[in-house]
Amino acid sequence: MRSAASFAASLLALMSAGSASAMDLNQALSAARARSPVMAMAEAETEAAVARQRRARAAQGLSVALNGMIADGRSDLGGFFGFGREDVTPSSLSLEVVQPLFASGALRAGVAGAQADRRRVEEGLRRTQADLTLSVVQAYA
């Protein structure tokens, strides 16, 4: 909290020293929120938690994979089985579809854990916003 308070105080000092006009509290709050590395980190953690929740939900569904391969080469079997020198182009294509049928509750537990993690991180973001607001108000006062 001290680092947020010192950040807010230095931000206010820099902004008031650099401009001729006074800054009101709302401007100071929005400037601190826009430039705070602590807020940026909390917002990034929130976005990561949302992505983890989406990934946990996606694990319950169907997954599809398409793989292909093509090559070009020359074959010389020396007349073995009647094959001589030839230009060859081996290729393959595969499609894999997987649907989990039974996971003994592991997928549901993964989704529940990701939801709980998201709520925890969102609460941390709200706490960070409140701490920053308090620091800016104290520095402003």
Side-chain angles (χ1 to χ4, degrees), residues 21 40 43 45 47 55 81 83 91-92 101 105-106 120 123 130 141:
S21 63
E43 289 168 354
E45 287 177 6
E47 290 173 13
R55 187 179 60 217
F81 290 124
F83 296 106
S91 58
S92 70
L101 297 176
R120 178 191 60 80
E123 183 58 37

Side-chain angles (χ1 to χ4, degrees), residues 74-100:
R74 184 147 181 88
S75 173
D76 186 5
L77 297 177
F80 194 67
F81 290 124
F83 296 106
R85 290 183 184 184
E86 290 187 34
D87 291 330
V88 292
T89 308
S91 58
S92 70
L93 182 66
S94 67
L95 176 68
E96 179 183 22
V97 180
V98 177
Q99 171 65 50

Side-chain angles (χ1 to χ4, degrees), residues 14-68:
L14 282 172
M15 295 183 94
S16 63
S19 65
S21 63
M23 180 184 290
D24 68 358
L25 181 58
N26 287 333
Q27 290 172 331
L29 283 169
S30 53
R33 286 183 184 133
R35 292 178 179 85
S36 171
V38 176
M39 280 296 299
M41 186 175 70
E43 289 168 354
E45 287 177 6
T46 302
E47 290 173 13
V50 169
R52 285 190 298 270
Q53 183 178 3
R54 283 189 194 130
R55 187 179 60 217
R57 283 192 177 140
Q60 292 178 318
L62 190 70
S63 69
V64 178
L66 178 65
N67 297 306

Side-chain angles (χ1 to χ4, degrees), residues 118-137:
R118 180 180 177 179
R119 286 191 298 269
R120 178 191 60 80
V121 169
E122 286 173 344
E123 183 58 37
L125 175 64
R126 285 189 289 275
R127 186 176 53 248
T128 301
Q129 289 170 338
D131 289 346
L132 184 65
T133 300
L134 179 64
S135 298
V136 171
V137 168

